[in-house]
Structure formats: C-alpha cells, structure tokens
Amino acid sequence: MQKQCPECGDKIVGRIDKKFCSDACRNSFNNSVNKDSKNLIRNTNNRLRKNYRILEDLNPDQKTKTSRAKLIEKGFDFNYFTSIYTTKAGTIYYFVYDQGYLPLEGEFYALVKRES
Ligand SMILES: [Zn+2]
C-alpha cells in the first residue's frame, strides 16, 4: 500500500518506516500538533481561572449562597472544575482550586471556600 505524507498528502518514497515525505513536513506537522495541545491547555486554564474569579467575587467570605442564573450571567462554565469532594453523607462539592460549590434545590448553589 502506498503511504501518504500526513502533512502535504504527497506519496512517501523511500524506507518503509518513513512517516513523512520530508524533514520539513515532519517538523511542521509536529509543530502544529504541539500548538494544538498547548492551545487546549491554555484554553482550559483560562476557563478555570475565569471560574475561580467568579467564585471568588461571589464568595468574598468563607461561605455564601448564589443562584445558577447569577453564575451563568457572569460566564461561569460548569464543565470546568479541578476536583470533586464527596462527604460521608454523599453530598458532592465541586471545587475550582479552593473555591467550592454545591448544587442546592431550586437552582441555587452554596459557595464555600476550603480552609487551607
Ligand atoms: Zn509532505
């Protein structure tokens, strides 16, 4: 079977274990793969940082209560958190670093800061 260069699509001529048609294509392919994974990490870090700031803003003391609408209005993204804590009673807290939130009934959330 004729192999194709994953970067430019040209046919690969030469050794059977060759993956790219040229060094240039290998380099540019690897660079773009690295760039994508760096973007992913950067975007995830940005979301976490934003979530953290929102929780910090809404919860300047150790403990408070807020609504889902307020969190969403500020741009909170519920898909991004750093850890989950389950109490013995089975209550699940979601944490963004040391700022946690707990879903309550009726679209409300308890916000808690973890003591360090
Ligand atoms: Zn190529």
Side-chain angles (χ1 to χ4, degrees), residues 5 8 21 25:
C5 173
C8 70
C21 73
C25 275

